[in-house]
Amino acid sequence: MPETNRPLVISAPAPRTLELIFSRKALDELNRRYRLIEADPENIASLGDATLAEVRYVIGQPPLDEATLARMPRLRAILNVESNLLDNMPYEVLFRRGIHVVTTGQVFAEPVAELGLAMALNLARGIVDADLAFREGRELWGGEGNRSARLLSGSEIGIIGFGDLGKALNRVLSGFRARIRVYDPWLPGSILTEAGVEPASIETVLSSSDFVFVVAAVTSENEGFLGAEAFSKMRHGAAFILLSRAGVVDFDALIAAVEAGRIVAASDVFPEEPLPLDHPVRRLPGFLRSAHRAGALDPAFKKMGKMVLEDMELMDRNLPPMRCKRAERETVARMRSRPVSVN
Amino acid sequence: MPETNRPLVISAPAPRTLELIFSRKALDELNRRYRLIEADPENIASLGDATLAEVRYVIGQPPLDEATLARMPRLRAILNVESNLLDNMPYEVLFRRGIHVVTTGQVFAEPVAELGLAMALNLARGIVDADLAFREGRELWGGEGNRSARLLSGSEIGIIGFGDLGKALNRVLSGFRARIRVYDPWLPGSILTEAGVEPASIETVLSSSDFVFVVAAVTSENEGFLGAEAFSKMRHGAAFILLSRAGVVDFDALIAAVEAGRIVAASDVFPEEPLPLDHPVRRLPGFLRSAHRAGALDPAFKKMGKMVLEDMELMDRNLPPMRCKRAERETVARMRSRPVSVN
Amino acid sequence: MPETNRPLVISAPAPRTLELIFSRKALDELNRRYRLIEADPENIASLGDATLAEVRYVIGQPPLDEATLARMPRLRAILNVESNLLDNMPYEVLFRRGIHVVTTGQVFAEPVAELGLAMALNLARGIVDADLAFREGRELWGGEGNRSARLLSGSEIGIIGFGDLGKALNRVLSGFRARIRVYDPWLPGSILTEAGVEPASIETVLSSSDFVFVVAAVTSENEGFLGAEAFSKMRHGAAFILLSRAGVVDFDALIAAVEAGRIVAASDVFPEEPLPLDHPVRRLPGFLRSAHRAGALDPAFKKMGKMVLEDMELMDRNLPPMRCKRAERETVARMRSRPVSVN
Amino acid sequence: MPETNRPLVISAPAPRTLELIFSRKALDELNRRYRLIEADPENIASLGDATLAEVRYVIGQPPLDEATLARMPRLRAILNVESNLLDNMPYEVLFRRGIHVVTTGQVFAEPVAELGLAMALNLARGIVDADLAFREGRELWGGEGNRSARLLSGSEIGIIGFGDLGKALNRVLSGFRARIRVYDPWLPGSILTEAGVEPASIETVLSSSDFVFVVAAVTSENEGFLGAEAFSKMRHGAAFILLSRAGVVDFDALIAAVEAGRIVAASDVFPEEPLPLDHPVRRLPGFLRSAHRAGALDPAFKKMGKMVLEDMELMDRNLPPMRCKRAERETVARMRSRPVSVN
């Protein structure tokens, strides 16, 4: 394509990099199809009017004020390559103008779901402690070692939150013939039913599950909503697996419930990351730890670039983006998020 | 049912017990439907002719010689509640007379498949070492900790052996959109195709898989068939997961391949059980250990009793058993097995 | 709820009726939760300012001009209970204001998919003509009657359009182990791949399928795009099944292709409805006819009401509608539709 | 392979032919691997002792008496390429000697299931009569034509008999989110549960289903077991679809139930085949007729040959046949069957 015909794209994926999210092949395609401007995310406004006037897409979520956006009349979409939406641009203006704001967080759904399933199986079978015991020559053989072991197959499973992550979890659980109940106040029951799961109240999910997976995003409304009362409703010995954000859980209450032997738990997220070296959860028996590693796999990052290319191709043809997730006018302000500091 | 009408059953489940394999409810049903004789497994012949003449079923696999069997004209089935077939009765005589010999090993398929999947996910994500590091304050966060992490989703998976275990594995893998190849020389390819997997040679399974699951029984023909040559064909960094019997593997070669960093591995079975305290596999990095705990869960044992009751009910109506697995005239002699010493 | 607190809803579902789309139970719920104004669809503007100021939802798609909309500051959504979007309101204004325009056409997906599958099976097995022959005593028995019969199982299937209808078709085809290719220019390939179908060009879909299902909506760009050239690319004897709108097909060319014996076909939609009594397709052999009956089943209509209630419940809580389909700024103008005249 | 090493096979597939059941490629393979003797089925005994002594397999089910079998010491299997087992050989002798008797009827499962589903959809949507009306210019459009139409999706379905046919039906129904109950007295309930269907009594299946599929074989015990009483238990307007053998049904009672408007029905099998020209079922409204065409498709026949080759390959290696279905000592005598007269 001649230089002048290629649409203009502002590249501002920090803290990520184009190399992280595009494979070499995808990066070639990106460059072949678009003119890229690697801009200082903190200073988009400093780009000249002639440049801004041509911009069709922004990759990343740099701060943008209304005045700068007004200088970008051809802007079609902000392609946010983090999972969070920062409060650094006037979303209402974007929605009004019909500029799409899309996120690519669903790339993490598959790796997070796999880790979540692994955590559930680990808790059910005591795999970590059994391997440690084996290393140290104190392993128990056969049924002796299975006193508290149990199966996912045929169990009752609860999922809190049924976005991309919940759906991916449901998929990796599909071979287990389990009864799966879901609590998601943002979705109508019939959508859950069609997905093959049972809509349920948060109470039922907590009190009727052998395994509870938490994959709900933190919103302004649900911070810390899973606390002492929630854990007290759970079945004795049930497993609590936290995969989304530490903010939805009262972590001290979670630790207390595990310490008391009421439940077992696993978490990929923590109230502080990195966690202080003396934090009690570090050596808490009945607790499986993962250092925010659930999603951050290279194939997931590379999928981001692929999704961005696919949606830009649709928007180039004046079609709506169908691959990434669109921010919603109603909920954008409810998403309480912090910048990603580590990829 | 009046005492005299209830069919007679010899109970000789040792080394297992009726209590292990029957729930209380199932045991009640067993007693309601049948007259049970708890016999000394080593001395079935000592039972009187009048008794033996009435026996319809034997639960267990006590030694039985042709003469004793001749005294049991109404015998319909031996319901073996182990997974192995011992060489302690004249199977040819049983087959000729149309006496079914059935095994209940398929109860272990589901728990073994779950552990196998857990092992694969553990190897893929380094879960045990990550938790240990976390306990010790040297965990790596986010992408830093995922340098060698990978996904099952979209991977290539090989399964060696497609009996009940292989089928259960295929089921728990069904949500992963993986390409699954199977090597099983005892099954026609079209059966594998209908099960949604690809029939493949052992070479292809080894060389084209990211994860290789071994669920083949030991036979007189395949002892140690997975050795240095096999491991050398595997993809660099691929995972080898051994779930059936240590006998199919050259364990020293397996250890060498893991030690050399060529592959990673997990095993539930070992050449000696218990394993000597100084065995090198105990502290081998890249190796996940489980002390023959894959199948021996209480719900699996209780399922045995249920299966036995279901098949006896069919045979009481002169129908063939459909629930347990029947020993086959052609293969019974090939199964090289040892008594179960631990449940 | 006290009268004054119940949100106000304008009911203008013509040509449908509330009774058609709401079960008695759902209608009770509608009335319990909302104050309903049954308005003359042609004269919404005549409602008083005080009334319009309170309106939260409009059920139906009455003509609405910008001035009237300006008098409705609390309007959150137009819940269109037809499948088509008429050009009778300023959609740009609605989008700018963030007022959702949603459609309920997906209720027809399931009944249409079932009829589509039935048509394919009918064409594959010649069921109509076989029954007629049987009535008249000239039936052919067994293999004699199956000279041109074939299976869906294991066949190659093409689907043109992968909206709700295409997805429902894919679902009812899931038990057939068929290879399914999809052409949909509005969707990125990776979404099709994740749905378990293969993205393909229109040429490949036409030339490599034993059964071609057309479920694409008519747009300003695809009118009559399936004509003589398309049919000439199809496999000899393949089946062409038209389920969406007659407008996407050059009907004369379709008739010619069937008449020539090149393909067989079935259609639920026709260039004129009702069709003239002397239209040649009425007695065309190799053609199966259905008088626009694919979707219009009572359970489908009743599902509309349920969907409307579910989405209003979400929007009452200031959440986005998730059940109905939202009109898109980019595509609303491309949908060329006519009013529904018959339910 | 040198002539003398190829195992000997007696070919006696009448009334079928090798050409019907083997593709050209499969026939080549058959000839390459085996020496074939095309024998007069009525006179196998006339073959010389030297020949009979070498026979490893018989393809077909020619009459065989004990004396002739005694002259065939190397016989491993009778591969019956019909669906029925005739009472023309001493099965007890075969079982005693461990000679497998296998049938290939499962090749018909897929085509029969497809026709069964087509029949259900036809009855649900009135497709045949709608097409006839359309031909004659008296069709009803849209909802008008759907007064008695209904969906399979979400319906309650009963299946009587869960052999290969029932399983294939369950598979093609898998995309319909229906509740499926199964009555099969020869199978334990847990096998049905694992297959994803609900075990149920015959009464429940009849009284709680919108669609009842009959795929049970005729046995000495179930002849005519579905009669007036059974039909009186069915839901008003429910559909009865007969796919296996007319013998399990009291056909006059079936006709009466349809005539009275209590149920609708479809059948592929009839008490006499061909059926007299004046039989009342020929013009019975509410009844869909198929002249024993459900299974007899060329791809099904060709699959037979493939199955025979696969199982002979296993048996050549002294493994049990796994592809075809084995006759069972307990049930062989219960199967009341007649010779196939038409393919």
Side-chain angles (χ1 to χ4, degrees):
Chain A
M1 228 184 261
E3 178 68 16
T4 47
N5 288 344
R6 284 181 300 154
L8 201 63
V9 173
I10 291 183
S11 166
R16 290 180 173 145
T17 62
L18 288 189
E19 284 67 32
L20 179 71
I21 61 181
F22 287 88
S23 67
R24 182 175 309 219
K25 187 162 155 271
L27 201 50
D28 286 349
E29 187 181 338
L30 181 69
N31 279 299
R32 196 168 53 244
R33 282 169 35 189
Y34 305 99
R35 276 176 297 151
L36 254 71
I37 300 187
E38 308 249 353
D40 172 4
E42 298 308 316
N43 207 357
I44 302 294
S46 70
L47 293 172
D49 281 351
T51 298
L52 289 178
E54 291 299 318
V55 171
R56 185 178 288 178
Y57 305 115
V58 174
I59 298 178
Q61 60 172 330
L64 287 170
D65 58 25
E66 189 161 359
T68 309
L69 286 169
R71 295 163 62 207
M72 301 164 82
R74 290 191 174 78
L75 184 63
R76 295 190 189 172
I78 313 265
L79 300 124
N80 176 337
V81 289
E82 295 172 73
S83 309
N84 300 320
L85 288 161
L86 302 181
D87 187 15
N88 66 357
M89 55 183 87
Y91 289 107
E92 267 312 308
V93 172
L94 295 165
F95 290 130
R96 199 160 56 231
R97 284 182 48 191
I99 297 166
H100 293 289
V101 179
V102 301
T103 56
T104 52
Q106 73 176 253
V107 300
F108 299 123
E110 206 159 63
V112 173
E114 289 199 9
L115 189 76
L117 174 59
M119 284 172 154
L121 291 167
N122 270 281
L123 293 175
R125 305 297 282 271
I127 292 173
V128 174
D129 288 327
D131 186 59
L132 286 187
F134 210 125
R135 297 182 191 189
E136 296 166 6
R138 49 181 179 77
E139 77 279 5
L140 298 173
W141 289 82
E144 295 283 311
N146 280 332
R147 294 280 177 246
S148 60
R150 57 212 158 101
L151 297 176
L152 250 74
S153 295
S155 71
E156 293 181 270
I157 292 177
I159 300 179
I160 296 175
F162 206 67
D164 292 319
L165 250 170
K167 288 185 189 78
L169 250 181
N170 186 40
R171 199 174 61 239
V172 296
L173 289 167
S174 60
F176 287 86
R177 295 171 181 157
R179 177 172 186 178
I180 301 181
R181 293 184 186 87
V182 170
Y183 170 69
D184 190 324
W186 291 17
L187 284 181
S190 68
I191 285 193
L192 299 177
T193 307
E194 286 184 6
V197 297
E198 294 177 42
S201 68
I202 180 73
E203 285 73 28
T204 305
V205 162
L206 289 167
S207 63
S208 306
S209 299
D210 302 306
F211 299 87
V212 174
F213 293 93
V214 181
V215 287
V218 193
T219 71
S220 47
E221 292 155 9
N222 70 5
E223 257 191 280
F225 85 114
L226 294 165
E229 203 192 324
F231 303 126
S232 75
K233 285 179 189 145
M234 288 179 65
R235 289 182 175 171
H236 188 84
F240 182 88
I241 296 138
L242 177 58
L243 295 166
S244 49
R245 288 285 177 261
V248 296
V249 167
D250 174 344
F251 229 83
D252 291 338
L254 175 58
I255 289 173
V258 173
E259 213 159 27
R262 272 205 43 73
I263 59 172
V264 292
S267 186
D268 186 55
V269 287
F270 297 89
E272 293 173 78
E273 297 182 3
L275 200 70
L277 287 175
D278 58 355
H279 196 284
V281 85
R282 283 192 179 273
R283 302 189 63 89
L284 181 61
F287 202 106
L288 178 64
R289 291 144 289 254
S290 169
H292 212 137
R293 299 168 60 221
L297 273 73
D298 189 62
F301 288 120
K302 295 297 181 285
K303 207 170 166 181
M304 275 190 187
K306 204 164 170 283
M307 286 169 63
V308 162
L309 280 170
E310 287 189 314
D311 267 349
M312 295 199 305
E313 196 273 335
L314 288 172
M315 290 185 282
D316 285 345
R317 293 190 283 131
N318 295 307
L319 290 169
M322 297 298 284
R323 179 70 268 196
C324 304
K325 187 171 186 166
R326 301 187 213 168
E328 303 267 14
R329 200 188 283 255
E330 289 90 341
T331 49
V332 68
R334 302 194 198 189
M335 308 304 286
R336 287 283 159 269
S337 42
R338 332 171 270 192
V340 177
S341 57
V342 181
N343 276 319
Chain B
M1 227 184 259
E3 178 67 16
T4 46
N5 288 344
R6 286 182 299 154
L8 201 62
V9 173
I10 290 182
S11 166
R16 290 180 175 144
T17 63
L18 288 189
E19 284 65 33
L20 178 72
I21 60 181
F22 287 86
S23 68
R24 182 175 310 216
K25 187 162 155 272
L27 200 50
D28 284 351
E29 187 181 338
L30 180 70
N31 278 298
R32 197 169 50 247
R33 282 168 36 190
Y34 305 98
R35 277 176 297 153
L36 253 70
I37 300 186
E38 309 248 353
D40 172 5
E42 298 309 315
N43 206 355
I44 301 295
S46 70
L47 293 172
D49 282 350
T51 297
L52 288 177
E54 292 299 318
V55 172
R56 185 179 289 179
Y57 306 115
V58 173
I59 298 179
Q61 60 171 332
L64 287 169
D65 59 23
E66 189 161 359
T68 310
L69 284 170
R71 293 162 63 206
M72 301 164 81
R74 291 191 173 79
L75 185 62
R76 294 190 189 172
I78 313 265
L79 300 125
N80 176 338
V81 289
E82 295 173 75
S83 309
N84 301 318
L85 289 160
L86 302 180
D87 187 16
N88 66 358
M89 54 183 88
Y91 289 106
E92 267 311 309
V93 171
L94 294 165
F95 290 128
R96 198 160 57 231
R97 283 182 47 191
I99 296 167
H100 294 288
V101 179
V102 301
T103 56
T104 53
Q106 73 176 255
V107 300
F108 299 124
E110 206 159 62
V112 173
E114 290 199 10
L115 189 76
L117 174 58
M119 284 171 154
L121 291 167
N122 269 282
L123 293 175
R125 305 298 281 272
I127 293 173
V128 173
D129 288 326
D131 187 59
L132 286 187
F134 210 125
R135 296 182 193 190
E136 296 166 7
R138 46 178 184 78
E139 76 277 7
L140 298 173
W141 289 82
E144 295 285 310
N146 280 334
R147 295 278 178 249
S148 60
R150 56 211 158 104
L151 298 175
L152 249 75
S153 295
S155 71
E156 293 182 272
I157 293 177
I159 300 178
I160 297 176
F162 206 67
D164 293 318
L165 250 170
K167 287 185 189 78
L169 250 181
N170 186 40
R171 200 173 60 240
V172 296
L173 289 167
S174 60
F176 287 86
R177 296 170 179 158
R179 178 172 185 178
I180 301 181
R181 293 185 187 86
V182 170
Y183 170 69
D184 189 325
W186 291 16
L187 284 181
S190 67
I191 284 193
L192 298 178
T193 305
E194 286 185 6
V197 298
E198 293 176 43
S201 68
I202 181 73
E203 284 73 26
T204 304
V205 163
L206 289 167
S207 64
S208 306
S209 300
D210 302 304
F211 300 87
V212 173
F213 293 93
V214 181
V215 287
V218 193
T219 70
S220 48
E221 291 154 10
N222 69 5
E223 257 191 280
F225 85 114
L226 294 165
E229 202 193 324
F231 302 127
S232 74
K233 284 179 190 145
M234 286 179 66
R235 289 182 174 171
H236 188 83
F240 181 89
I241 295 139
L242 176 58
L243 295 165
S244 50
R245 289 283 178 264
V248 296
V249 168
D250 174 343
F251 229 82
D252 291 337
L254 174 59
I255 288 173
V258 174
E259 213 159 27
R262 274 205 41 74
I263 60 172
V264 291
S267 185
D268 186 55
V269 288
F270 296 89
E272 294 172 75
E273 298 182 4
L275 199 70
L277 286 177
D278 58 354
H279 196 284
V281 84
R282 285 192 177 271
R283 303 189 62 90
L284 180 62
F287 202 106
L288 179 63
R289 293 145 286 256
S290 169
H292 212 136
R293 298 168 61 220
L297 272 75
D298 189 62
F301 288 121
K302 293 299 181 286
K303 207 170 167 181
M304 275 189 186
K306 204 164 169 285
M307 286 169 63
V308 162
L309 279 171
E310 287 190 315
D311 267 350
M312 294 199 306
E313 196 272 335
L314 288 172
M315 290 185 281
D316 284 346
R317 293 191 282 130
N318 293 307
L319 290 169
M322 297 297 284
R323 178 71 267 196
C324 304
K325 188 171 187 167
R326 303 186 213 168
E328 304 267 14
R329 198 190 286 253
E330 289 91 341
T331 49
V332 68
R334 302 196 198 187
M335 307 304 285
R336 284 287 158 269
S337 42
R338 336 171 266 191
V340 177
S341 56
V342 181
N343 276 318
Chain C
M1 227 185 258
E3 178 68 16
T4 48
N5 287 344
R6 285 181 300 154
L8 202 62
V9 173
I10 290 182
S11 166
R16 290 178 175 147
T17 63
L18 288 189
E19 284 66 33
L20 179 71
I21 61 182
F22 287 87
S23 67
R24 182 175 308 218
K25 187 161 156 270
L27 200 50
D28 286 349
E29 187 180 339
L30 180 69
N31 278 298
R32 196 169 52 246
R33 283 168 36 189
Y34 305 99
R35 275 176 297 152
L36 253 70
I37 299 187
E38 307 249 353
D40 172 6
E42 297 308 316
N43 206 357
I44 302 296
S46 70
L47 294 171
D49 281 353
T51 298
L52 288 177
E54 292 299 317
V55 171
R56 185 178 288 177
Y57 305 115
V58 174
I59 298 178
Q61 61 172 332
L64 287 169
D65 58 25
E66 188 159 2
T68 310
L69 285 169
R71 294 162 64 205
M72 301 163 81
R74 291 190 173 79
L75 184 62
R76 296 191 187 171
I78 313 265
L79 300 126
N80 176 338
V81 288
E82 295 172 74
S83 309
N84 300 320
L85 290 160
L86 301 181
D87 187 15
N88 66 357
M89 54 182 88
Y91 290 107
E92 267 311 308
V93 171
L94 295 165
F95 290 131
R96 198 159 58 228
R97 283 181 50 191
I99 297 166
H100 293 290
V101 179
V102 302
T103 55
T104 53
Q106 73 176 253
V107 300
F108 299 124
E110 206 160 63
V112 173
E114 290 199 8
L115 189 76
L117 174 58
M119 284 171 154
L121 291 167
N122 270 281
L123 291 175
R125 305 297 281 273
I127 292 173
V128 174
D129 288 327
D131 186 59
L132 286 187
F134 209 125
R135 297 182 192 190
E136 297 166 7
R138 49 181 180 77
E139 77 277 7
L140 298 173
W141 289 82
E144 295 284 310
N146 280 333
R147 294 279 176 247
S148 60
R150 56 212 159 101
L151 297 176
L152 249 75
S153 294
S155 72
E156 293 182 271
I157 292 176
I159 300 179
I160 297 176
F162 206 67
D164 292 318
L165 250 170
K167 289 184 188 79
L169 250 181
N170 186 40
R171 198 172 63 240
V172 296
L173 288 167
S174 60
F176 287 86
R177 296 172 178 155
R179 177 172 187 179
I180 301 181
R181 294 184 186 88
V182 170
Y183 170 69
D184 190 325
W186 291 17
L187 285 181
S190 67
I191 285 194
L192 299 178
T193 306
E194 287 185 6
V197 297
E198 294 176 40
S201 68
I202 180 72
E203 283 73 27
T204 305
V205 162
L206 289 167
S207 63
S208 306
S209 300
D210 303 306
F211 300 87
V212 174
F213 293 93
V214 181
V215 287
V218 192
T219 71
S220 47
E221 292 155 9
N222 70 5
E223 257 190 280
F225 84 114
L226 294 165
E229 202 191 324
F231 303 125
S232 75
K233 285 179 188 143
M234 288 178 66
R235 289 182 174 170
H236 188 84
F240 182 88
I241 295 138
L242 176 58
L243 295 166
S244 50
R245 289 284 177 263
V248 297
V249 167
D250 174 343
F251 230 82
D252 292 336
L254 174 59
I255 289 174
V258 173
E259 213 159 27
R262 274 205 42 75
I263 59 174
V264 292
S267 185
D268 187 54
V269 287
F270 297 88
E272 292 173 78
E273 298 182 2
L275 200 70
L277 287 176
D278 59 353
H279 197 285
V281 84
R282 286 192 178 271
R283 304 190 62 89
L284 181 61
F287 201 106
L288 179 64
R289 291 144 288 254
S290 169
H292 211 137
R293 298 168 61 219
L297 272 74
D298 189 63
F301 288 120
K302 294 299 179 287
K303 208 171 167 181
M304 277 190 184
K306 203 164 171 282
M307 287 169 62
V308 162
L309 280 170
E310 287 189 315
D311 267 350
M312 295 199 305
E313 197 273 334
L314 289 172
M315 290 185 281
D316 285 345
R317 293 191 281 130
N318 294 307
L319 291 168
M322 297 298 284
R323 178 70 269 196
C324 304
K325 186 170 187 168
R326 302 186 213 167
E328 303 267 15
R329 201 188 284 254
E330 289 90 343
T331 49
V332 68
R334 302 197 198 187
M335 308 304 287
R336 285 285 158 269
S337 41
R338 333 172 267 190
V340 176
S341 57
V342 180
N343 277 318
Chain D
M1 223 184 262
E3 179 67 17
T4 48
N5 286 347
R6 286 181 299 154
L8 201 62
V9 174
I10 290 182
S11 166
R16 290 179 176 146
T17 63
L18 288 189
E19 283 66 32
L20 178 71
I21 60 181
F22 288 87
S23 67
R24 182 176 309 218
K25 186 161 157 271
L27 200 51
D28 284 350
E29 186 180 340
L30 180 70
N31 278 298
R32 195 168 53 245
R33 282 166 38 189
Y34 306 98
R35 276 176 296 153
L36 253 69
I37 300 187
E38 308 248 354
D40 172 5
E42 299 309 316
N43 207 356
I44 301 297
S46 70
L47 293 171
D49 282 350
T51 297
L52 288 177
E54 291 300 317
V55 171
R56 185 179 288 180
Y57 305 115
V58 173
I59 298 178
Q61 59 172 333
L64 287 169
D65 59 25
E66 188 161 359
T68 308
L69 285 169
R71 294 162 63 205
M72 302 162 82
R74 291 190 173 79
L75 184 62
R76 295 191 189 173
I78 313 264
L79 300 124
N80 176 339
V81 288
E82 294 172 75
S83 310
N84 302 317
L85 289 160
L86 302 180
D87 187 17
N88 66 358
M89 54 183 88
Y91 289 106
E92 267 312 308
V93 171
L94 295 165
F95 291 129
R96 198 161 57 231
R97 283 181 49 191
I99 297 167
H100 293 289
V101 179
V102 300
T103 55
T104 53
Q106 73 176 253
V107 300
F108 299 123
E110 207 160 62
V112 173
E114 289 200 10
L115 189 76
L117 174 58
M119 284 171 155
L121 291 167
N122 269 281
L123 292 174
R125 304 298 281 272
I127 292 172
V128 173
D129 288 326
D131 187 59
L132 285 187
F134 210 126
R135 298 182 191 189
E136 296 167 7
R138 49 180 181 77
E139 77 278 7
L140 298 173
W141 289 81
E144 294 285 310
N146 280 334
R147 294 280 177 246
S148 60
R150 56 211 160 103
L151 297 175
L152 248 76
S153 294
S155 71
E156 294 182 269
I157 293 176
I159 300 179
I160 297 175
F162 206 66
D164 293 317
L165 250 171
K167 289 186 188 78
L169 249 181
N170 186 40
R171 200 173 60 239
V172 296
L173 288 168
S174 60
F176 286 87
R177 296 170 178 157
R179 178 172 187 179
I180 301 181
R181 294 186 186 85
V182 169
Y183 170 69
D184 189 326
W186 291 17
L187 284 181
S190 67
I191 285 193
L192 299 178
T193 306
E194 287 185 4
V197 298
E198 294 177 41
S201 68
I202 180 72
E203 284 74 28
T204 305
V205 163
L206 288 167
S207 64
S208 306
S209 300
D210 303 305
F211 300 86
V212 174
F213 294 92
V214 181
V215 286
V218 193
T219 70
S220 47
E221 292 156 10
N222 70 4
E223 257 191 281
F225 85 114
L226 294 165
E229 203 192 323
F231 303 126
S232 75
K233 285 179 189 144
M234 287 179 67
R235 289 181 174 171
H236 188 84
F240 182 88
I241 296 138
L242 176 58
L243 295 165
S244 50
R245 288 283 177 265
V248 296
V249 167
D250 173 342
F251 229 82
D252 291 336
L254 174 59
I255 289 173
V258 173
E259 211 159 28
R262 274 204 43 74
I263 61 173
V264 292
S267 185
D268 186 56
V269 288
F270 296 89
E272 294 172 74
E273 297 182 4
L275 199 69
L277 286 177
D278 58 354
H279 196 284
V281 86
R282 286 193 177 270
R283 304 189 62 91
L284 181 62
F287 202 107
L288 179 64
R289 292 144 287 256
S290 169
H292 213 136
R293 299 168 60 219
L297 272 73
D298 189 63
F301 288 120
K302 293 300 181 284
K303 207 169 167 181
M304 276 189 185
K306 203 162 170 284
M307 286 169 63
V308 162
L309 279 171
E310 287 190 314
D311 267 350
M312 294 199 305
E313 196 273 335
L314 289 172
M315 289 185 281
D316 284 345
R317 292 190 284 130
N318 293 308
L319 290 168
M322 297 298 283
R323 179 68 269 196
C324 304
K325 187 171 188 167
R326 303 187 212 166
E328 303 267 15
R329 198 189 287 254
E330 289 90 342
T331 49
V332 67
R334 301 195 199 190
M335 309 304 286
R336 284 286 158 269
S337 41
R338 331 171 271 192
V340 176
S341 56
V342 181
N343 276 319

